[in-house]
C-alpha cells in the first residue's frame, strides 16, 4: 500500500471531487448522497490512472488490494456476491474523466459472468434467455474492448446464429432479441473459441481477473487515437487521465416490465421546458445510444407506465434544482423499479442553451451572471450561421430526424478521411453514413453537415453534430447507401459521390442541389443574454467593416463602433484600379498627385458612407497598408506574354510596340518586386516615402467628415497608422494629419473631433511602446501581423506547409493565427500595454486582428486590461458574451 | 541679466569645463592655467548658443552686457584697446564645440580693424603693408563668413589687383604677399563697395558691432549643412551647440621674424616620437591649413630658429605630460615671440594611435587600461585593410605626399557628388581634386581614396582621409587637373574620368591601373594592444567561418573558436548541387535518404577540415538554415524556357519530353515557392519536417569528430539549431542529436564532448527563452534575422527601398543592420537574457550576427552580460579591443 487512497465508494465521494473521481464518479457520489436510487459501486481515481501511465502502464501498487473491501461493500449493499453461482453480482466498468468525452473511451457491461454464474443469474431472474443474452453481450464486449478482437467477427457469428436458428427452428429471427437461449448459449461458446483463436489465450472465467483486465482496458482507452483527437479538438489536457467506475448492474432487458432510456430535462435543440428523450423496453442502454433499434419518445412512457413517468418527472425537477442546470439523465427500469444510472449537465444547441439559461434566470434557479457564464461562446458561432431562405423553392428528396439545427450544402462524401481531405482543401462536403462512430469525428469536423440513414436524436451523429454546431439530419430511412459503388439511392433516384445536396437540420429535409441561404437574426433570449453581457463586460466591442453594409450589420449585432476600416479594398474597385496603377507608375510627385486627385472624390464617398452609417459611434480608418505591387499585374504572366511576343512576327510594328510596352511594365513590376513583401515597403512606410498618398486619404476623410457635420451627423473619425516601428513615423504623420484637418476645418468652418492612433503589429512597436504612446490617442494590436513577426511565420506559407505538421506533432497546441499565442505574442502585448500606459495613462488599447473574435483571445485581452476588441460583424455577439465572461473572471 | 554666467575669461575656466566652454575654450583655459604663453581672451559658453537657438536665433538676454567687462579685462592684459586708433586690440572669433569638428564652423580673424584702427596698427607695428594686409584679410573674411558674400568675388578682385599692380608698378606679383600697401588699401575699399552692393548695407566700422555680428555668425555656423552632415557622420548630437572663443590676435605675418605653424608631437601616420608638422614664415595660420602655399617641415625651424625650436620642443614634451596624449599644436611667432594658440589630442592613423598608445605606456605616461581605452576600434578596420603586394610590378606615374596610409584602386572622378553617386552604387572610385574643402566630405566618404595636387600633410584632404582611414596622396604637384574637360595630365600623358588608377598612401605613389593587393598583418604594437585587451575583456571573441582557410585566419587573428559555421555553402558546391536538388525533389523519404547518403561523406570531410583547423577550440556548426527552394532553379527562367518550348516544333519527340520535364520541374519549384521565404519553411522547421536532413548532418559531424578523436585531436563540436520559436522544437531535435551521438560514440568507441544550443533570431524565441533555455547549452543571438523580425524589415527589400529614406530623414539614426538597435532589438535581447538565465544560470549566451563585429553593438552585449561575440575573421581584432573597452566601462 502506498498510503494513497485510490478507491472511493459512491457514498464516500461528492460533487466537488471531480478532479479525483472524474465527472461521472463525482456525479454518482453526489446522486447517492442526495438520495437517488442509484445502483451502488465504487470509483477508482484519476490519480490511479496517472500513476498507471507514470509507471509505464502498470496498475499502481496497492490498488488491487484496495479494491477488495470495496467489492465486499457492494456485495453487502446488493445482497449479491461476485462470482457466486447463486446470486452473482454483475458490474459495469466505465471510464469517466474530469471533462466528459462522450463515446470516446471504453465501457464493459455485465462483468462477472461465466459458465457458472450465468446459471445463478438464470435462476435468480427465472429467465435463462436473459442470462445468456447478458453473457453473450458481455463476452462480445469484453472480447472487442478488452481483448481487441475485431467487432465485425462477432456480428458475423450473430448473423450466422440467426440464420441457423431460423433454418433449424423456423420463425422470423430478425432482431437479436429473437435469438433463443440455446442459440445464445452456442454463441457464447463460439465467441470464446474465436477469442482463444485470435488472442492465443482462453477467455478469463474468473470474475476478478475479468475486473482487473477491464480496469486496465479503461485506463488504456484514455490514449486511443480517437480519444487523443477528441481532446485536441476540445482543448482537454492529455495528462489528467480518467477515473474508472465499477457499478453493480441493473437490467433493462429483464422482460417487458424492464427498459432503459436517456432523457434531457429540456429540449436540447430548442430549450423548451419539456422532458425530451427516448427509451426502449426490454433492452440495455447501448441499444438506445448506438441507434441500432429506433427507440420511442419519452412521452410514450407517460401513456404506457404513468407511474414510472411521474417518478421520473419528479426526479428531473429535483435534479435541475440541485444542479441548477438542464440535466441529461440515463435511467434503467428493472422489473418495474426505476434506477438513475447517470445525470449530467445536458449538452444542447446554442439556441437551446441560451433559452435554457434565460429561463433558469426567470425560474429563479440561477443569476444573470451565472446565465452569462453558462453559454459557450464558441457555440454561438453556429447560431450566427445561415439558414435556408424561406422563399426558396426546394426539391426535397427525403426527410429524416431534425438532429442538429442549421442548414448546409455540399458534395456528397461517404468516408470521414475523404471528408477531411476535401474539407481541409476548402471544399464544402456533406458526410453521408448509415451511422457515425467516434472514429468518424475528424470527418464530421471537416464537413458542412451530416446525413445518416439510421439512428435517432441521441445517436452518435446527432450528439456530435449538435455539440459541434454542424447541421445534421439523422435516421433518414429512405436513404439506401452503397459504399462500394459510392452511391445513394432515394426512391430509385441515384446520387453519386460529389453530387451536391443540402440538408436542413431544423426540419430534417434533404434537398437536391444548392439552396439559397439567409443570414440569421438574433432570438429574443439571445438578445437578453447579450444585454446582460453588455451590463457585465468592461471592454468595448467594435467591428471590422470596410463598407456601409457591413457597418450596418455590425451595428445591428451591437458593435459600439468600427475598430478597423481597411482602405485597400477601396483601391481594388475595377473602376479605380487603372487610376491606382497609373498613380503607382507615376515618374514624378506631380504625376502621382494628379492621379491621386482623381481618386480623392471616390475615397471621400467611401468615407462619407461609412461615417454616416455609424453616426454617433467612432469609425477607425486605417490608411493604406499593402505594398503597392499588389495593385499591379504579376510578373510571371508578363514573362509568359513577353516570351510569346518575342517569338512572334517581329516585322509587325504593332507587335513590336506591344512587346516594348510589356517589357517596360515588367521592368516597373520588377523594380517594385520584393523578396518578402510582408516585411517590405508597405504600411506607414508608404506614408513616409510617398506622403501624397496618405495626404489624399486624409483629405478625403476630413472632407467627408466636414460634409456630415454640416448635415447634422455626429461622427467620430479616428485615423489609424499601420506598421509603425518608430515613434518618429507617428510623429511625422500625425503632424501631417493635424495640418490637413486644421486646413479643412477652417476652410469648411466646422469642428471635427478626431483621433489619431497606430497599429501595433511589429515587435519593435510593442518594445518601444512607451515612446510611441506619447504620439497616439489609441493603440490597436494587429495580432495577425504580430503573430507573423513574433513567430517568424509567413501565414501564407506556414499554413500550407509546416504549420499542420507543427500542430499534429504537438509542438503547437493551436494554430496561433486562430487562437492568440499567450506565451509569445501575448507576452509582448503585455509588455507593450505596460510600457504604453506608463507614459500615456489615457491611451485606449485594443485588438483588431482575427483574434478579436476568439473567446480565449478575448479572455487574454481582459487579463492584460485592454480597452476594446474589434472583430468581424458576425462575431460581435460572441465577442460581447466573451468579454462579459472575461470580466466576470476578473 | 538672467543670472546665468555666459562669459568666462580664459583664466576662469579649466579643462573639465568642456561641456560649457567647448573643447577649444576649455583647452585655452587649461593652457592659460598651466602657464603657457597663450594670447588672452574669453569664451562665450555653449549654453549661450543653445539659448540662442531656443529663443529663435536671438542673442541671449544679458550676454552682450556681460561681454563688456571681459573685453575690458583683455584690453588690460594686452595693453591694447578695442577700437583704439593708437594701439588697437584685434581679436579672433572662433567656434569650439565640446567635440572637435575641424574646419566645419566659422572663424573670423583680425576683428577690430577699420579705417582708423588700421592706422593705429600700422603705427604700432611700424608696418603699413602688414596693417592693410590684416585689414584686407579681415574685410574679406567678414564679408564671406559673416555677411555671406561669395568668396570667389573677393578672389577675382585680388587677381585683378595683382595684374593692376604688375601693370602699374612692374615686378612679379604672384603671391598675395607681393601686393603693396597701396594695392591692399585699394582692395579694402573695393571689398567694402562689393559688400555694400551685395548686401545693401555698409560694412560695419564699429568693432563692437563687428564682434556682435561675428558671434552670431559663429552660432549660425553650427547649423550649416556641412556641419550637420559632419555631426551625423560622426555621431555628434545636434543639440549640444558651440562655444565662441574671442581671443586677442597675434601675428605671424609681421615680417620674416614672424610665422605660424601646426605641429604634432609625434608622427600622426606612423606614431614615431618626433615633432611632425609644418610652418610658414610671414604668414597667418590659415595659410598653412588651407594648403595654398606649400609650407616647410617643422624640422627646418631647428636650423633657421634653433632657440624657438628648442622652446617649442620643451612645450611639446610638457603638453604631452600634462594631457597624457599626443598633441596637435597650433602656434604663432610674433616678432620672434612664440605663442601657443591651441593644443588638442592629435588625430592620427590607426597604426600611429596604436604605436603611440603602446609608447605612452612604456614611457610611463598612461596605464595599459588607458592605452586600450584610447584606441578607436572603428579605426582598426583600416589597419586590417589591404596593401599593395610587394612583388607587384607597378607603373608608377607620379609621386605625392604619403598623406594617409593604405592602398586603393578605382575610377578617376573629379566631383564629390559624382564620387558619392558612384560609390553608393558600389563602384570603386578615387576622388581627384586640386585640394578638398569641407564641402567635399560626402565624396571623400564614398571614395576608395583621395588624390590632390596641392596641400601638405596637414591639408584638409590629408586630415580628413586619415581620420576616415581612407588612403590619400596629397600635394602631387605633377598632376594637372582640368575640371572642364575632366582630364588629368601627368607628364603629357592624359587620364580621363573613369580611367582606373591606384594610390599608395603609405609611399605617395600614384599608379596606373589596378594593382594586386595583399592582406595586412598585425604589427607588434597592435599585438601588444590586443594582448592587453585580452587581459581586460570578459567576453569571449569567436569568429564566423565556414571553411578551414577562414578558420585559420580567425585563429591567427585571435579568435577563441568558431561561433558560427554555416553549412549551406557546403550544399552549394557545384559538384553537390545536383545531388542536393535530387534530394529536395525526392518523392519519398527513402529516395531522399538515398541522396542524403551521397552527401554525407562530403559533409563529413567539411566538418573534419574545420574541426581539425580549430583543434583545441570549440566549433559551432549551424544545421541547414535556408529554405530548400534556394537550391533550385528560379521559376522565371523556367517560365521563359517553357513558353519558348511550347512554340517550338511539337512533332519533335525530344522537345516534347523536354517541355514535359521543365513543366514538372516548374510544378515542384512552384510547390516550394513561398510568399515570404524569410518567414517560411526554413531553419529547424526543415529539421522538424524532414528530420533525415538534420540527421545526415549530425551523423557527418559525429563521424568526423570520432575520426579526429581517434587521431588524437582535441575537438569541441557544438551543434546550433537555427530559427527555433518553441522549446519543443529544440527538445525534439536535441533528442535526435543525442541519439545519433550516442550511436556513433558507441560504434566508434570514443567519447565526444559536444554541446547543443540554439539561435535566438525570432522574437518568440526571445520571449519564451526561459523555457527554451532548459534544453540548450548555449544561445546565439542571430541579430540579422532578429532585426528583420523586430522591425518587420526584410533586409533585401528595405536597404534598397525605404531604409535610406528613413536614415536621411532622421527617423533612424543608423542602419539597424550595421549598428544594433538598442531600443527595440536590444530590449528584446535583454528580456531574453534575463529570462534564460532565470531557468538556466549556466547557459552561455552570445551573438553571431554582423553586429558581433561592431563596437557599439559589442558594448551593448557587455552591458547585458553576454558571454561571447562572434564575427568575421577580419573583425576579430576589433572585437577583442571593443570587448576590452566595454569591460573597462563596466
Amino acid at each position: 500500500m502506498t498510503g494513497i487512497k485510490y478507491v472511493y465508494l459512491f457514498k464516500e465521494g461528492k460533487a466537488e471531487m471531480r478532479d479525483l473521481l472524474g465527472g461521472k464518479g463525482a456525479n454518482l457520489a453526489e446522486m447517492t448522497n442526495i438520495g437517488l436510487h442509484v445502483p451502488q459501486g465504487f470509483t477508482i481515481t484519476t490519480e490511479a490512472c496517472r500513476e498507471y501511465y507514470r509507471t509505464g502502464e502498470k496498475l499502481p501498487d496497492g490498488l488491487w488490494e484496495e479494491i477488495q473491501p470495496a467489492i465486499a461493500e457492494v456485495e453487502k449493499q446488493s445482497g449479491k456476491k461476485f462470482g457466486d453461482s447463486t446470486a452473482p453480482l454483475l458490474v459495469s466498468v466505465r471510464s469517466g474523466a474530469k471533462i466528459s468525452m462522450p463515446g470516446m473511451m471504453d465501457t464493459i457491461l455485465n462483468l462477472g459472468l461465466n459458465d457458472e454464474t450465468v446459471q445463478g443469474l438464470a435462476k435468480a431472474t427465472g429467465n435463462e434467455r436473459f442470462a445468456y443474452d447478458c453473457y453473450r453481450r458481455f463476452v462480445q464486449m469484453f472480447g472487442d474492448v478488452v481483448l481487441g478482437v475485431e467487432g465485425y467477427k462477432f456480428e458475423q457469428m450473430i448473423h450466422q446464429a440467426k440464420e441457423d436458428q431460423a433454418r433449424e427452428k423456423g420463425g422470423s429471427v430478425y432482431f437479436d432479441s429473437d435469438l433463443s437461449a440455446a442459440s445464445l448459449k452456442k454463441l457464447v461458446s463460439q465467441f470464446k473459441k474465436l477469442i482463444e483463436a485470435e488472442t492465443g489465450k482462453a477467455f478469463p472465467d474468473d470474475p476478478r481477473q475479468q475486473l482487473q483486465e477491464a480496469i486496465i482496458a479503461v485506463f488504456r482507452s484514455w490514449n486511443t487515437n480517437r480519444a487523443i483527437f477528441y481532446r485536441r479538438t476540445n482543448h482537454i489536457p492529455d495528462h489528467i487521465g480518467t477515473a474508472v467506475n465499477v457499478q453493480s448492474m441493473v437490467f433493462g432487458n429483464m422482460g417487458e416490465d424492464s427498459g432503459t432510456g436517456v432523457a434531457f430535462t429540456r429540449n436540447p435543440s430548442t430549450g423548451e421546458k419539456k422532458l425530451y428523450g427516448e427509451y426502449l423496453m426490454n433492452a440495455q442502454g447501448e441499444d438506445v445510444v448506438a441507434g441500432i433499434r429506433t427507440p420511442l419518445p419519452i412521452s410514450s412512457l407517460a401513456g404506457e407506465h404513468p407511474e414510472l413517468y411521474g417518478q421520473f418527472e419528479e426526479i428531473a425537477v429535483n435534479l435541475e434544482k440541485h444542479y441548477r442546470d438542464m440535466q441529461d439523465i440515463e435511467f434503467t427500469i428493472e422489473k418495474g423499479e426505476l434506477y438513475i444510472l447517470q445525470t449530467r449537465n445536458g449538452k444542447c444547441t446554442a439556441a437551446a442553451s441560451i433559452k435554457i439559461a434565460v429561463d433558469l434566470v426567470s425560474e429563479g434557479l440561477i443569476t444573470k451572471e451565472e446565465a452569462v457564464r453558462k453559454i459557450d461562446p464558441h457555440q454561438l458561432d453556429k447560431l450566427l450561421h445561415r439558414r435556408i431562405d424561406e422563399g426558396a423553392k426546394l426539391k426535397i428528396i427525403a426527410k429524416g430526424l431534425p438532429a442538429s439545427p442549421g442548414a448546409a450544402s455540399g458534395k456528397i462524401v461517404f468516408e470521414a478521411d475523404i471528408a477531411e481531405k476535401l474539407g481541409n482543401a476548402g471544399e464544402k462536403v456533406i458526410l453521408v453514413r448509415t451511422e457515425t462512430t467516434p472514429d468518424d469525428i475528424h470527418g464530421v469536423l471537416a464537413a458542412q453537415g451530416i446525413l445518416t440513414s439510421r439512428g435517432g436524436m441521441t445517436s452518435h451523429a446527432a450528439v456530435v453534430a449538435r455539440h459541434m454546431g454542424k447541421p445534421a439530419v439523422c435516421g433518414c430511412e429512405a436513404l439506401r447507401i452503397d459504399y462500394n459503388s459510392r452511391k445513394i439511392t432515394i426512391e430509385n433516384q441515384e446520387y453519386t459521390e460529389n453530387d451536391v445536396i443540402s440538408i436542413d437540420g431544423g426540419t430534417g429535409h434533404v434537398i437536391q442541389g444548392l439552396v439559397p441561404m439567409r443570414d440569421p437574426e438574433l432570438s429574443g433570449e439571445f438578445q437578453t443574454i447579450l444585454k446582460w453581457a453588455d451590463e457585465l463586460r468592461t471592454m468595448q466591442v467594435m467591428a471590422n467593416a470596410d463598407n456601409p453594409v457591413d457597418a450596418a450589420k455590425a451595428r445591428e449585432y451591437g458593435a459600439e463602433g468600427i475598430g478597423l476600416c481597411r482602405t485597400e479594398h477601396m483601391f481594388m474597385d475595377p473602376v479605380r484600379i487603372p487610376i491606382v496603377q497609373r498613380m503607382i507608375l507615376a515618374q514624378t510627385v506631380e504625376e502621382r498627385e494628379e492621379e491621386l486627385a482623381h481618386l480623392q472624390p471616390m475615397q471621400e464617398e467611401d468615407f462619407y458612407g461609412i461615417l454616416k452609417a455609424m453616426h454617433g459611434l467612432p469609425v477607425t480608418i486605417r490608411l493604406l497598408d499593402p505594398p503597392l505591387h499588389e495593385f499591379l499585374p504579376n510578373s510571371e504572366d508578363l514573362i509568359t506574354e513577353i516570351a510569346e511576343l518575342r517569338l512572334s512576327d517581329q516585322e509587325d510594328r504593332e507587335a513590336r510596340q506591344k512587346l516594348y510596352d510589356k517589357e517596360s511594365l515588367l521592368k516597373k513590376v520588377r523594380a517594385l518586386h520584393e523578396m518578402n513583401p510582408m516585411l517590405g515597403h508597405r504600411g506607414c512606410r508608404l506614408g513616409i516615402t510617398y506622403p501624397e498618398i496618405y495626404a489624399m486619404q486624409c483629405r478625403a476623410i476630413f472632407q467627408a467628415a466636414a460634409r456630415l457635420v454640416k448635415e447634422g451627423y455626429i461622427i467620430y473619425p479616428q485615423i489609424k497608422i499601420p506598421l509603425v516601428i518608430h515613434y518618429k513615423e507617428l510623429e511625422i504623420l500625425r503632424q501631417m494629419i493635424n495640418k490637413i484637418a486644421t486646413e479643412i476645418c477652417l476652410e469648411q468652418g466646422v469642428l471635427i473631433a478626431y483621433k489619431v492612433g497606430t497599429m501595433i503589429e511589429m515587435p519593435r512597436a510593442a518594445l518601444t511602446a512607451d515612446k510611441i504612446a506619447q504620439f497616439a490617442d489609441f493603440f490597436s494590436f494587429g495580432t495577425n501581423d504580430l503573430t507573423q513577426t513574433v513567430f517568424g511565420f509567413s501565414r501564407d506559407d506556414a499554413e500550407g506547409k509546416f504549420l499542420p505538421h507543427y500542430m499534429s506533432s504537438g509542438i503547437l497546441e493551436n494554430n496561433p493565427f486562430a487562437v492568440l499565442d499567450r506565451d509569445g505574442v501575448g507576452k509582448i502585448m503585455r509588455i507593450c500595454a505596460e510600457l504604453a500606459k506608463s507614459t500615456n495613462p489615457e491611451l485606449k488599447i485594443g485588438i483588431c486582428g482575427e483574434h478579436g473574435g476568439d473567446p480565449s483571445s478575448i479572455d487574454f485581452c481582459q487579463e492584460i486590461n485592454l480597452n476594446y476588441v474589434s472583430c468581424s460583424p458576425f462575431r460581435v455577439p460572441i465577442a460581447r458574451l466573451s468579454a462579459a465572461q472575461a470580466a466576470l473572471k476578473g
Side-chain angles (χ1 to χ4, degrees), chain A:
Chain A
M1 297 287 258
T2 59
I4 300 167
K5 181 172 169 67
Y6 287 127
V7 177
Y8 286 77
L9 293 169
F10 293 167
K11 62 181 181 184
E12 292 177 325
K14 52 185 174 176
E16 290 69 33
M17 292 166 76
R18 281 181 85 86
D19 284 353
L20 193 63
L21 303 181
K24 190 176 288 174
N27 240 325
L28 286 166
E30 187 77 1
M31 289 192 297
T32 301
N33 289 323
I34 62 176
L36 288 179
H37 198 200
V38 175
Q40 282 305 290
F42 57 88
T43 302
I44 302 167
T45 64
T46 57
E47 175 58 29
C49 179
R50 291 192 293 271
E51 185 66 17
Y52 172 80
Y53 280 107
R54 212 165 14 233
T55 54
E57 312 204 358
K58 268 177 42 200
L59 276 195
D61 284 350
L63 172 62
W64 187 243
E65 292 74 9
E66 203 181 335
I67 286 171
Q68 305 316 314
I71 294 173
E73 176 68 22
V74 176
E75 288 172 333
K76 211 176 91 189
Q77 285 167 344
S78 62
K80 301 173 184 171
K81 262 190 117 62
F82 214 29
D84 188 275
S85 58
T86 338
L89 170 66
L90 304 188
V91 296
S92 64
V93 181
R94 295 173 203 255
S95 66
K98 176 182 171 184
I99 300 159
S100 171
M101 295 165 57
M104 284 302 124
M105 288 180 297
D106 289 339
T107 290
I108 319 285
L109 302 176
N110 302 331
L111 187 141
L113 284 173
N114 55 27
D115 289 346
E116 279 175 38
T117 56
V118 71
Q119 302 296 347
L121 182 62
K123 231 180 286 169
T125 60
N127 187 339
E128 191 189 21
R129 206 211 78 89
F130 160 63
Y132 276 98
D133 191 35
C134 284
Y135 196 13
R136 187 273 301 175
R137 286 168 189 271
F138 165 59
V139 175
Q140 180 177 352
M141 210 179 268
F142 196 92
D144 176 356
V145 165
V146 179
L147 302 174
V149 177
E150 285 163 290
Y152 77 92
K153 294 182 177 167
F154 297 106
E155 293 295 341
Q156 279 176 342
M157 286 180 166
I158 293 173
H159 187 73
Q160 187 61 46
K162 285 177 189 166
E163 285 189 0
D164 291 351
Q165 180 179 326
R167 201 178 52 241
E168 292 164 19
K169 314 277 171 172
S172 107
V173 188
Y174 187 72
F175 292 112
D176 292 356
S177 57
D178 295 333
L179 282 167
S180 68
S183 296
L184 291 166
K185 194 169 175 179
K186 208 164 90 188
L187 262 179
V188 166
S189 134
Q190 285 172 346
F191 283 180
K192 287 189 172 182
K193 276 186 202 133
L194 169 68
I195 288 167
E196 186 157 0
E198 294 270 327
T199 66
K201 274 192 284 187
F203 185 86
D205 282 330
D206 174 4
R208 282 176 204 257
Q209 189 187 341
Q210 291 170 359
L211 180 62
Q212 193 174 66
E213 290 189 29
I215 291 168
I216 291 172
V218 171
F219 283 162
R220 273 206 319 259
S221 72
W222 176 252
N223 267 352
T224 58
N225 287 338
R226 71 184 198 205
I228 292 169
F229 183 85
Y230 183 93
R231 286 200 293 274
R232 193 149 300 149
T233 313
N234 289 277
H235 309 302
I236 300 171
D238 281 332
H239 70 272
I240 56 171
T242 183
V244 183
N245 298 291
V246 178
Q247 187 176 22
S248 55
M249 291 293 302
V250 287
F251 295 97
N253 56 350
M254 276 195 169
E256 288 307 320
D257 61 347
S258 299
T260 188
V262 181
F264 293 88
T265 54
R266 300 179 192 231
N267 185 317
S269 281
T270 63
E272 193 191 0
K273 191 176 177 185
K274 193 177 157 195
L275 282 182
Y276 178 92
E278 295 154 325
Y279 74 102
L280 274 173
M281 294 313 277
N282 201 16
Q284 288 218 86
E286 74 276 17
D287 298 332
V288 180
V289 178
I292 292 165
R293 274 165 63 194
T294 302
L296 300 170
I298 191 85
S299 51
S300 309
L301 192 66
E304 296 191 15
H305 302 276
E307 196 179 324
L308 288 170
Y309 188 78
Q311 271 179 44
F312 188 74
E313 263 190 323
E314 198 187 318
I315 289 168
V317 169
N318 287 334
L319 283 175
E320 274 202 351
K321 270 198 188 135
H322 183 74
Y323 288 106
R324 303 162 76 226
D325 203 347
M326 183 262 245
Q327 293 298 296
D328 170 2
I329 306 169
E330 289 178 22
F331 63 93
T332 286
I333 304 159
E334 192 181 72
K335 293 187 174 287
E337 191 162 350
L338 177 63
Y339 289 91
I340 302 300
L341 300 189
Q342 184 172 290
T343 187
R344 58 187 170 198
N345 292 347
K347 292 208 164 134
C348 49
T349 62
S353 69
I354 287 169
K355 176 165 168 45
I356 291 169
V358 172
D359 286 351
L360 290 176
V361 172
S362 61
E363 291 164 26
L365 287 184
I366 61 173
T367 64
K368 288 176 186 179
E369 286 79 2
E370 284 168 318
V372 164
R373 226 187 254 121
K374 246 184 213 307
I375 314 296
D376 176 1
H378 286 283
Q379 261 201 315
L380 295 192
D381 193 24
K382 297 128 201 183
L383 270 193
L384 298 163
H385 279 160
R386 302 176 312 156
R387 64 180 197 278
I388 295 172
D389 192 329
E390 287 84 354
K393 269 201 208 154
L394 305 179
K395 186 171 176 204
I396 296 168
I397 51 177
K399 192 166 182 309
L401 299 172
S404 179
S409 301
K411 291 181 179 173
I412 294 170
V413 296
F414 295 105
E415 285 172 32
D417 288 348
I418 296 175
E420 186 182 38
K421 201 175 128 200
L422 293 177
N424 288 351
E427 296 256 23
K428 294 193 190 308
V429 299
I430 305 289
L431 180 61
V432 181
R433 306 272 310 159
T434 47
E435 55 193 309
T436 65
T437 71
D439 293 333
D440 296 323
I441 290 191
H442 58 296
V444 176
L445 201 63
Q448 300 298 304
I450 314 301
L451 172 60
T452 67
S453 57
R454 301 219 317 228
M457 293 297 287
T458 49
S459 66
H460 178 263
V463 170
V464 166
R466 278 200 299 273
H467 182 50
M468 291 185 180
K470 303 270 176 188
V473 172
C474 292
C476 181
E477 300 190 4
L479 219 63
R480 294 286 133 83
I481 302 174
D482 182 344
Y483 287 133
N484 287 327
S485 63
R486 296 174 179 275
K487 275 181 192 159
I488 309 173
T489 314
I490 303 178
E491 292 178 9
N492 300 324
Q493 175 75 41
E494 281 187 355
Y495 300 88
T496 55
E497 194 164 47
N498 289 327
D499 282 350
V500 173
I501 56 169
S502 300
I503 58 172
D504 183 341
T507 60
H509 290 151
V510 181
I511 304 139
Q512 185 179 317
L514 275 176
V515 295
M517 304 272 187
R518 277 193 51 177
D519 286 342
E521 292 130 25
L522 306 186
S523 71
E525 285 94 356
F526 200 166
Q527 299 282 18
T528 303
I529 284 278
L530 290 176
K531 207 185 77 206
W532 293 342
D534 290 345
E535 290 164 19
L536 294 167
R537 69 186 158 86
T538 59
M539 286 192 294
Q540 274 196 301
V541 175
M542 319 263 276
N544 304 343
D546 305 348
N547 56 62
V549 174
D550 286 355
K553 181 57 77 182
R555 250 197 128 107
E556 182 195 329
Y557 281 171
E560 296 165 279
I562 301 301
L564 174 62
C565 168
R566 297 177 190 86
T567 56
E568 41 271 26
H569 301 147
M570 305 171 181
F571 277 53
M572 288 291 187
D573 180 294
V575 176
R576 302 179 190 180
I577 194 82
I579 312 178
V580 172
Q581 292 186 349
R582 284 200 302 274
M583 183 276 283
I584 293 168
L585 300 174
Q587 302 280 1
T588 64
V589 174
E590 292 69 30
E591 271 177 54
R592 184 170 305 111
E593 284 182 334
E594 201 182 311
E595 301 299 341
L596 287 166
H598 292 128
L599 289 173
Q600 188 178 320
M602 302 176 188
Q603 281 261 288
E604 188 181 321
E605 287 315 304
D606 297 330
F607 298 134
Y608 179 86
I610 197 162
L611 285 165
K612 188 169 171 179
M614 295 303 290
H615 65 94
L617 295 174
V619 175
T620 316
I621 297 163
R622 182 175 73 185
L623 301 184
L624 196 66
D625 186 47
L628 295 181
H629 49 72
E630 284 197 6
F631 301 100
L632 297 180
N634 91 51
S635 64
E636 290 201 354
D637 294 347
L638 282 169
I639 290 166
T640 308
E641 285 184 66
I642 287 168
E644 287 164 5
L645 282 168
R646 280 214 185 111
L647 290 165
S648 68
D649 183 5
Q650 286 303 302
E651 297 303 302
D652 178 353
R653 228 184 110 177
E654 211 171 291
R656 277 210 317 276
Q657 180 61 41
K658 203 169 162 197
L659 175 60
Y660 175 83
D661 289 349
K662 293 285 176 187
E663 284 177 334
S664 308
L665 183 56
L666 178 61
K667 216 177 279 174
K668 285 166 187 165
V669 169
R670 283 238 170 93
L672 284 173
H673 170 79
E674 293 183 310
M675 291 291 294
N676 297 288
M678 156 73 208
L679 307 177
H681 195 173
R682 50 176 282 244
C684 74
R685 296 167 196 175
L686 293 173
I688 292 285
T689 50
Y690 303 110
E692 55 278 10
I693 299 178
Y694 274 17
M696 178 281 282
Q697 293 198 294
C698 292
R699 278 194 298 271
I701 292 168
F702 288 109
Q703 292 286 14
R707 274 166 62 197
L708 286 162
V709 170
K710 285 184 185 169
E711 292 167 18
Y713 288 94
I714 297 173
I715 50 153
Y716 300 101
Q718 307 195 342
I719 296 178
K720 177 145 78 174
I721 311 293
L723 219 73
V724 163
I725 52 115
H726 198 291
Y727 72 92
K728 284 187 191 165
E729 295 170 321
L730 191 58
E731 186 181 18
I732 290 168
L733 292 171
R734 194 183 173 112
Q735 261 169 22
M736 183 190 83
I737 294 166
N738 289 350
K739 190 160 164 282
I740 290 170
T742 310
E743 278 168 17
I744 290 174
C745 284
L746 291 177
E747 207 174 280
Q748 303 284 332
V750 296
L751 273 183
I752 300 169
Y754 68 97
K755 289 185 174 172
V756 179
T758 173
M759 298 284 288
I760 302 288
E761 43 193 342
M762 296 288 129
R764 197 180 191 283
L767 293 163
T768 60
D770 46 347
K771 289 182 184 155
I772 295 174
Q774 298 178 53
F775 298 93
D777 300 317
F778 61 88
F779 273 8
S780 177
F781 283 111
T783 48
N784 296 353
D785 278 2
L786 195 56
T787 300
Q788 294 200 78
T789 46
V790 165
F791 277 80
F793 279 2
S794 166
R795 184 169 187 175
D796 294 319
D797 303 317
E799 287 190 339
K801 299 215 162 81
F802 53 86
L803 193 51
H805 183 101
Y806 266 56
M807 290 193 289
S808 66
S809 68
I811 294 176
L812 295 176
E813 275 180 46
N814 296 299
N815 178 341
F817 295 107
V819 178
L820 190 87
D821 161 54
R822 295 188 182 205
D823 290 347
V825 178
K827 186 176 276 176
I828 206 167
M829 286 170 72
R830 191 189 293 270
I831 291 169
C832 174
E834 284 168 8
L835 285 171
K837 298 256 175 167
S838 77
T839 57
N840 183 354
E842 295 302 306
L843 189 78
K844 297 279 175 275
I845 310 182
I847 180 175
C848 69
E850 265 173 63
H851 300 104
D854 168 62
S856 134
S857 310
I858 291 170
D859 182 66
F860 181 75
C861 292
Q862 177 86 27
E863 193 181 311
I864 61 170
N865 295 316
L866 297 198
N867 304 97
Y868 70 91
V869 300
S870 186
C871 58
S872 87
F874 279 94
R875 294 195 75 86
V876 164
I878 296 171
R880 289 161 71 192
L881 179 67
S882 299
Q885 292 182 339
L888 283 171
K889 272 174 74 176

